[in-house]
Amino acid sequence: MNKERKLIIAGNWKMNKTVAEALALVNSLKLELANIREVDIVVCPPYTALESVSKVILDSNLRLGAQNMSAQNFGAFTGEICAGMLKEFSVRYVILGHSERRQYQRETDSVVAKKAAAVHAASLKPIVCVGETLAEREGSQTEAVLNTQVRGSLAGLTKEQMVETVIAYEPVWAIGTGKTATTQQAQDAHAFIRAVVAKIFDEAVAKKVRIQYGGSVKPSNARELMGQPDVDGALVGGAALEARSFADIIKNSI
């Protein structure tokens, strides 16, 4: 697949996998995906497995991601993790503003923007999640919601930082439900997000930004989704928890 932007496919393991299970998974992925160079492959285990996983993938084509990060650098923030702690384990990417954190931890666009700034300040790369709920889509609010979330969550970034930011479009109604946006729905949302980025920054920046699709991505729909002109990868949930399905998603994307 010839794209001007390199595909990036990340596995968000969420609150799954003990250290032993995490090591079994990444060891399998290392073997399955050893020859893949066309895709940036990212695995995002829970914090408890970051150190162990980082050692296993050090000499591989897999990159390490974290599922969240504090906007603070250190201090009295019980339960939080800062950039310096993540960098100790060679973390490269950090997922921010996932719909589950927006819902359960009440994270707002402005909180996500502060975290994105902190991620960039540490020379890491944020994966910023945006997406509408089923009620918002059925109420024809998709573009309004995406416009607000993209502008709010990326507020304050420079052009240089924006180019190094990944956006993940995750329609909330398709996460873990087995429902998937049609390829046209995914493409339309991605094209709209890219247009918003162009308005905030410029066309040159928008052309370089990678936008992932997330929401019940499977080996069977990966090729069609990744074939869309504005879809530059996937943020994979459930299918990333099993080596064969995650590897097949990646192989089917190229």
Side-chain angles (χ1 to χ4, degrees), residues 2 8 10 20 24 41 53 68 81-82 87 96 140 193 223 227 250:
N2 183 21
I8 176 167
I41 305 166
V53 170
N68 181 42
I81 302 285
C82 68
K87 291 188 78 166
L96 299 176
S140 302
I193 290 168
R223 188 180 305 280
I250 291 165

Side-chain angles (χ1 to χ4, degrees), residues 60-78:
S60 77
N61 57 336
L62 305 182
R63 296 292 172 258
L64 191 59
Q67 297 177 24
N68 181 42
M69 191 188 95
S70 173
Q72 310 299 324
N73 290 325
F74 57 85
F77 301 98
T78 300

Side-chain angles (χ1 to χ4, degrees), residues 15-29:
M15 197 172 69
N16 295 291
K17 303 295 182 186
T18 62
V19 172
E21 291 166 343
L23 290 176
L25 178 51
V26 289
N27 275 308
S28 295
L29 290 175

Side-chain angles (χ1 to χ4, degrees), residues 127-147:
I127 297 174
V128 177
C129 302
V130 297
E132 80 283 4
T133 64
L134 183 60
E136 287 164 345
R137 173 164 281 274
E138 290 180 341
S140 302
Q141 294 296 303
T142 296
E143 291 190 353
V145 170
L146 293 178
N147 183 58

Side-chain angles (χ1 to χ4, degrees), residues 140-219:
S140 302
Q141 294 296 303
T142 296
E143 291 190 353
V145 170
L146 293 178
N147 183 58
T148 298
Q149 288 186 347
V150 170
R151 288 180 181 277
S153 301
L154 304 175
L157 296 185
T158 65
K159 289 182 180 181
E160 292 75 21
Q161 290 172 331
M162 190 62 233
V163 169
E164 296 298 320
T165 298
V166 178
I167 299 174
Y169 168 62
E170 293 203 308
V172 180
W173 48 273
I175 298 175
T177 61
K179 293 181 182 177
T180 310
T182 65
T183 49
Q184 193 59 54
Q185 286 173 325
Q187 166 57 24
D188 288 348
H190 281 235
F192 178 78
I193 290 168
R194 199 176 303 285
V196 174
V197 172
K199 287 175 188 170
I200 303 170
F201 299 94
D202 60 36
E203 286 284 351
V205 169
K207 279 186 176 176
K208 292 177 183 175
V209 170
R210 295 187 289 182
I211 308 174
Q212 299 174 305
Y213 172 75
S216 301
V217 179
K218 303 179 285 288

